[in-house]
Amino acid sequence: MTDNLRRDMITEPGQQVSLSPLSACGRQGGLFGKVRTTLEMIKFEHSVFALPFALTGAFLAVRRWPTWRQMLWLIVAMIGARSAAMTFNRIADLRFDALNPRTKTRALPAGHLSMRFAAGFTVVSCALLVLAAHELNPLAFKLSPVAIALLLGYSYTKRFTSVSHLVLGVCLGTSPVAAWIALRGDLKAGVLLLGLAVAFWVAGFDLIYACQDVSFDRTVGLHSIPRRYGIRVALYASAVLHVMMLSLSLIVAHLEHLGGIARAGVAAVAVLLVYEHALVRPSDLSRVNAAFFTINGYISVLFFLTWAADILTH
C-alpha cells in the first residue's frame, strides 16, 4: 500500500513537467487493459501486507477455519479496501508523481489511465468493500463508511503532519479488527491489541521507507518524521515501534491462550525484523526496498501461518 506514498527524487532546476494526466503516452485501450494497468499501478501483489493479518483476526474470532463464504467475503472486502486506498492515493498524489522523475512514467501522470477511470475504479472498489461488509454482518456494514473515510483520508495526512506513518499504520491495523467484527459482530481487547501491533509494525517499516525521501519531502512540502528529526532518529523510532509490535503480539498470544507455535512465530518475526533493520543505516539506504517489500511480506505470511496453526491445533 505504501509504495507510492513517499518520493525520493526531484526535478532539475528549471525543468518543466506536465501535470496533466493525459500527457506523455496514450491511454491503455479496452476495459481489460485499463484494469490491468490499474492493478499494476497500485501494486496489487502487495496485498500480502494486510491480508494475512485480516485472516489472523478471522481465525482468532472463530477459533477454527472460517466458512468458505466468510473467507470469500473477507478477501473481497480486503481487495476492495486496498484497491480503493491505493488508487485514491495515486489520484491524490498525481501532482507529486508528475514532478518526480522516478514516478512520472506511472499510469496516471504518463497518461496511460485517465483520472475519470481511476476515480471510477476507486468508487467500484469502495462498493466492493461495502457489499462484502453487508454480506458479512450488520455491524460491519454500518462501519464500512468509517473504514472508507480512514482509508481515503490517509492520502492527505502527509501534507500537514509528520505522524502520517502512524495513520498509515492504523489503516492497516484495522484489518484484523475488521475481520473479527465481520465474523463475530463484537470487539475484544485481544484483537484491538493485535490491531495496534499491526499499526506499530506498519508505521515502523514506513519510517524506514520514508528515510530515502527526505530531500524530496522537504522540496515539495511533504511531512515525515525523517524530514523533521533526521534519518538516524527515524531509524531508532522504527526499531522502538517494532519492539512494541513484538511485545503486543506476545500479550495478545497470552490473552487469547495461544501456545508455543504462535510464540515461536513471534520469535521468528523478531529475527526477520532484526535482519530488516540490519539492512539499512543512516549512511546507506541502498537496500531499503529489500527491507520494505521482501522482508515485510515474509513477516505477514509467517505471522498468519504460525498463529493459524496454533489456533487449529488447540
Side-chain angles (χ1 to χ4, degrees):
M1 177 177 185
T2 56
D3 175 53
N4 192 42
L5 304 185
R6 307 289 175 189
R7 311 290 179 260
D8 65 348
M9 298 177 67
I10 61 175
T11 55
E12 295 297 324
Q15 181 179 353
Q16 298 296 317
V17 179
S18 170
L19 301 185
S20 169
L22 307 179
S23 62
C25 303
R27 297 175 187 162
Q28 293 294 315
L31 179 61
F32 178 79
K34 291 178 181 179
V35 171
R36 183 179 60 186
T37 301
T38 304
L39 294 179
E40 291 172 353
M41 176 181 73
I42 65 175
K43 303 295 183 185
F44 183 75
E45 65 275 16
H46 294 154
S47 298
V48 70
F49 286 163
L51 182 57
F53 283 103
L55 296 177
T56 301
F59 273 72
L60 280 175
V62 298
R63 295 291 174 151
R64 54 174 170 76
W65 278 99
T67 67
W68 286 110
R69 183 180 181 280
Q70 290 172 330
M71 290 285 283
L72 170 65
W73 287 114
L74 278 175
I75 292 171
V76 169
M78 289 301 301
I79 290 173
R82 187 186 182 280
S83 297
M86 286 297 295
T87 307
F88 187 78
N89 182 258
R90 298 296 194 257
I91 294 171
D93 279 0
L94 175 59
R95 178 167 64 92
F96 302 113
D97 285 347
L99 290 170
N100 190 337
R102 183 174 64 87
T103 59
K104 69 180 181 179
T105 59
R106 288 177 174 169
L108 279 176
H112 298 311
L113 290 174
S114 69
M115 285 286 284
R116 178 179 297 179
F117 184 86
F121 188 86
T122 303
V123 171
V124 170
S125 298
C126 289
L128 275 179
L129 170 59
V130 173
L131 173 63
H134 179 270
E135 293 298 317
L136 286 163
N137 71 47
L139 181 57
F141 177 63
K142 292 176 182 177
L143 292 176
S144 58
V146 178
I148 290 171
L150 178 63
L151 292 170
L152 303 189
Y154 161 74
S155 293
Y156 294 103
T157 57
K158 54 190 175 290
R159 290 161 168 78
F160 59 85
T161 178
S162 297
V163 296
S164 58
H165 319 280
L166 289 173
V167 179
L168 177 64
V170 170
C171 288
L172 272 73
T174 59
S175 58
V177 179
W180 178 287
I181 292 173
L183 271 58
R184 289 180 56 116
D186 61 12
L187 278 175
K188 190 177 178 181
V191 75
L192 289 173
L193 290 177
L194 178 59
L196 188 59
V198 175
F200 286 156
W201 168 63
V202 173
F205 72 66
D206 190 56
L207 276 174
I208 294 175
Y209 192 75
C211 287
Q212 64 181 337
D213 309 323
V214 172
S215 296
F216 185 82
D217 286 353
R218 185 177 293 117
T219 300
V220 300
L222 294 176
H223 296 271
S224 71
I225 287 177
R227 175 196 164 180
R228 182 169 182 177
Y229 298 106
I231 293 175
R232 188 175 298 276
V233 170
L235 292 178
Y236 177 77
S238 173
V240 170
L241 286 169
H242 284 158
V243 169
M244 294 170 67
M245 178 263 191
L246 295 169
S247 300
L248 283 174
S249 298
L250 290 174
I251 291 172
V252 174
H254 174 73
L255 291 176
E256 294 299 319
H257 308 291
L258 300 182
I261 300 176
R263 288 174 170 81
V266 175
V269 167
V271 172
L272 288 174
L273 286 172
V274 169
Y275 178 62
E276 177 177 325
H277 285 272
L279 290 176
V280 291
R281 298 181 179 85
S283 59
D284 182 10
L285 301 175
S286 61
R287 292 183 289 180
V288 163
N289 283 338
F292 181 76
F293 296 112
T294 307
I295 303 302
N296 287 298
Y298 290 149
I299 285 172
S300 60
V301 173
L302 178 62
F303 192 98
F304 165 66
L305 291 177
T306 53
W307 281 47
D310 195 298
I311 292 167
L312 293 174
T313 55
H314 269 65

